[in-house]
Amino acid sequence: MSETAKRPRTRIQARNRQAILDAGLDCFSEAGFRGTTLDRIARGAGLSKPNVLYYFPSKDAIYEALLERLLKTWLDPLAELDPGGDPRGELLAYVARKLEMSRLFPRESRLFANEILAGAPRIGPILSGELRALVDEKAAVIRGWANAGRIAPVDPHHLIFSIWALTQHYADFDVQVRAVLGGADPFPAAEGFLAAMFDRALAPETAAGAPGALHAAGRPGGPPGDAGAGRSR
Amino acid sequence: MSETAKRPRTRIQARNRQAILDAGLDCFSEAGFRGTTLDRIARGAGLSKPNVLYYFPSKDAIYEALLERLLKTWLDPLAELDPGGDPRGELLAYVARKLEMSRLFPRESRLFANEILAGAPRIGPILSGELRALVDEKAAVIRGWANAGRIAPVDPHHLIFSIWALTQHYADFDVQVRAVLGGADPFPAAEGFLAAMFDRALAPETAAGAPGALHAAGRPGGPPGDAGAGRSR
DNA sequence: CGTGCCTTTGACCGCCCGGTCAAATCGGAA
DNA sequence: TTCCGATTTGACCGGGCGGTCAAAGGCACG
């Protein structure tokens, strides 16, 4: 298979394909698949509609190319959760990674949200396949940590859901968050808030006699911006 | 103002207007405004397209009727937060109310999510007006609780965001949640998880000299801010 | 048995949708 | 300069879009 049809052969192909995907991401993430038109994508990419169809065979193809590219990077942060690491440090680092993704790739997050809201017509099988397997695997790790008393005894699946919900909220509901905050950038404060929130939620039950080494004490090489509890904007 | 043009004069009007709003909620919450067609709403309501336009002047009118009706009930749970009540009890009850809304009105939640994802073209002013005012008011209450040491010193705005994010997630991402859980109903477990999560996150800092007596101290016997706040199911 | 109003609908309008196609244009290697 | 493939586009297609309209049905009153 020597560089078959797919990958860009020329500079101009690379540039235009990228422009189309970029404009498509803008549109799909805002209006969903059905609410997006080829004309809008074409205008956003600075191309004519037939020219867009020259690079992608259909609107579906653009959408699926975006989804495929998205899924690869979307599962990575969870996959990086290290069963051998420090439990709270690993989980807080995962929170930090996910929040960073919301900050850097809000359109991707909204694209994903739109797909789910629409009933996941295209990625449904992946959710109950790859994603479920990955989550179950990591949930087992977390349950092990909880059973060993290294973190609080929380439901691992719902803990993961809570991390997704809290971090993606800052991307998906960005407009609302900024409206309520009066336009301020929510991310700096969010980082501290989430670190403090999960740090408290995960602090292990200190059974009788356990040391007073409570959550706020110096943690190992934790994620950036830890212990920034209670920050206000 | 004696029953002017708006409200249903006849039984048949009440029934059909309701059927249209119901079908519209189905469509808009799934595909957003742009992705929804009048034909689909009409089919869902069991009416012909012109008949739908007999009850509502336009597609916009249906959408805005739904948004208006939604906003009334959407802000209520937060407005009910009682500054005079027990801090943790009040906040946990708010969490429970919001989760209950996700369980009972998932379509409304998804409609709202779609509107925000699209950039809040219609409710933007309300977000930075009424909603912001309400949130600021309640944030001040929460800040007062924190300053008085009655709850942990958390950023009040982000605390409210976290409640929205965590509760609405179970409605907006229902498909994903159920796919990962293998189809099980997530709400029973979510209720307990969120109660525990916020109970821990809000537990006040124990004063300096009591390292061992941290937040989770009296848990087994039932803490003052009881976990089952609000609803049993 | 009208009669008048509420309700319903088939036909239609102009426009935009996703997509096709043949022809025109471009641009680099020989 | 010539040439050939890569690129671009105007014109077009069938169908679906939001919305209109006149006319037809239904239905509770006198």
Side-chain angles (χ1 to χ4, degrees):
Chain A
M1 308 304 185
S2 57
E3 303 290 270
T4 50
K6 196 62 178 296
R7 286 297 94 189
R9 296 99 98 88
T10 78
R11 317 291 148 79
I12 214 168
Q13 279 215 5
R15 172 170 51 84
N16 283 349
R17 281 183 64 98
Q18 188 51 47
I20 291 168
L21 288 175
D22 195 66
L25 185 52
D26 273 338
C27 296
F28 288 129
S29 67
E30 186 180 310
F33 180 78
R34 284 185 196 159
T36 295
T37 72
L38 273 177
D39 284 281
R40 217 178 272 259
I41 295 176
R43 202 177 314 130
L47 301 172
S48 66
K49 186 169 64 171
N51 203 4
V52 168
L53 275 312
Y54 170 75
Y55 290 99
F56 289 87
S58 67
K59 177 180 155 185
D60 276 79
I62 302 173
Y63 187 71
E64 284 173 9
L66 283 168
L67 270 189
E68 188 181 354
R69 158 191 287 198
L70 166 63
L71 280 172
K72 286 183 181 172
T73 62
W74 218 238
L75 304 186
D76 271 352
L78 179 55
E80 287 177 26
L81 196 83
D82 180 11
D86 171 62
R88 258 196 289 179
E90 285 296 323
L91 287 167
L92 288 174
Y94 177 47
V95 171
R97 281 196 297 272
K98 284 290 286 179
L99 184 62
E100 191 72 356
M101 291 192 62
S102 281
R103 191 172 69 86
L104 297 177
F105 309 109
R107 294 179 305 169
E108 281 81 353
S109 183
R110 286 192 279 265
L111 175 69
F112 188 79
N114 256 308
E115 168 71 8
I116 302 292
L117 279 173
R122 287 170 176 78
I123 62 168
I126 293 174
L127 297 184
S128 42
E130 288 180 54
L131 179 63
R132 189 186 175 192
L134 176 61
V135 168
D136 281 346
E137 174 199 330
K138 297 304 181 181
V141 171
I142 295 171
R143 183 174 294 111
W145 287 340
N147 288 343
R150 303 178 70 188
I151 60 169
V154 294
D155 182 311
H157 287 95
H158 287 267
L159 175 65
I160 291 172
F161 295 154
S162 74
I163 294 173
W164 292 348
L166 286 171
T167 54
Q168 290 173 12
H169 186 80
Y170 288 100
D172 302 342
F173 289 76
D174 183 73
V175 172
Q176 180 183 239
V177 167
R178 287 182 197 266
V180 167
L181 292 181
D185 177 9
F187 282 95
E191 194 178 337
F193 174 83
L194 292 186
M197 174 113 177
F198 280 103
D199 196 45
R200 289 173 149 271
L202 294 173
E205 307 274 351
T206 53
L214 64 168
H215 49 274
R219 285 208 323 284
D226 52 20
R231 280 230 31 76
S232 67
R233 65 176 200 279
Chain B
M1 23 186 105
S2 56
E3 303 289 88
T4 50
K6 195 63 175 297
R7 287 298 96 191
R9 294 99 97 90
T10 78
R11 316 292 150 77
I12 214 167
Q13 278 216 4
R15 172 169 52 86
N16 283 349
R17 282 183 65 97
Q18 188 50 47
I20 292 167
L21 288 176
D22 195 66
L25 184 53
D26 273 338
C27 295
F28 287 129
S29 67
E30 185 178 311
F33 180 78
R34 284 184 197 160
T36 295
T37 73
L38 274 178
D39 283 282
R40 217 178 274 259
I41 294 177
R43 203 176 314 129
L47 302 171
S48 67
K49 187 169 64 172
N51 204 4
V52 168
L53 274 313
Y54 169 76
Y55 290 100
F56 289 88
S58 66
K59 178 180 155 184
D60 276 80
I62 302 173
Y63 187 71
E64 284 173 8
L66 283 168
L67 271 188
E68 188 181 352
R69 159 190 285 200
L70 167 63
L71 280 172
K72 285 183 181 172
T73 62
W74 219 238
L75 304 187
D76 272 352
L78 180 54
E80 286 177 27
L81 196 83
D82 179 11
D86 171 63
R88 257 197 287 180
E90 286 295 323
L91 288 167
L92 288 176
Y94 177 47
V95 171
R97 280 197 297 272
K98 284 290 284 179
L99 184 62
E100 193 70 355
M101 291 192 62
S102 281
R103 189 172 71 87
L104 296 178
F105 309 109
R107 295 179 305 170
E108 282 81 352
S109 183
R110 287 193 277 266
L111 175 70
F112 188 80
N114 256 309
E115 168 72 8
I116 301 293
L117 279 173
R122 287 170 175 80
I123 63 168
I126 292 175
L127 297 184
S128 42
E130 289 180 53
L131 178 63
R132 189 188 175 190
L134 176 61
V135 168
D136 281 347
E137 174 201 329
K138 298 304 181 182
V141 170
I142 296 171
R143 186 175 290 111
W145 288 339
N147 288 344
R150 304 179 69 187
I151 60 169
V154 294
D155 181 307
H157 286 94
H158 287 266
L159 175 64
I160 291 173
F161 294 154
S162 74
I163 294 173
W164 292 348
L166 285 171
T167 54
Q168 290 173 12
H169 186 80
Y170 288 99
D172 302 342
F173 289 75
D174 182 73
V175 173
Q176 180 183 239
V177 167
R178 287 181 197 266
V180 167
L181 292 181
D185 177 9
F187 282 95
E191 192 178 336
F193 174 84
L194 292 185
M197 175 116 178
F198 279 104
D199 194 45
R200 290 172 150 271
L202 293 172
E205 306 275 352
T206 51
L214 65 168
H215 52 273
R219 294 269 297 179
D226 61 319
R231 320 254 332 135
S232 60
R233 211 240 125 160

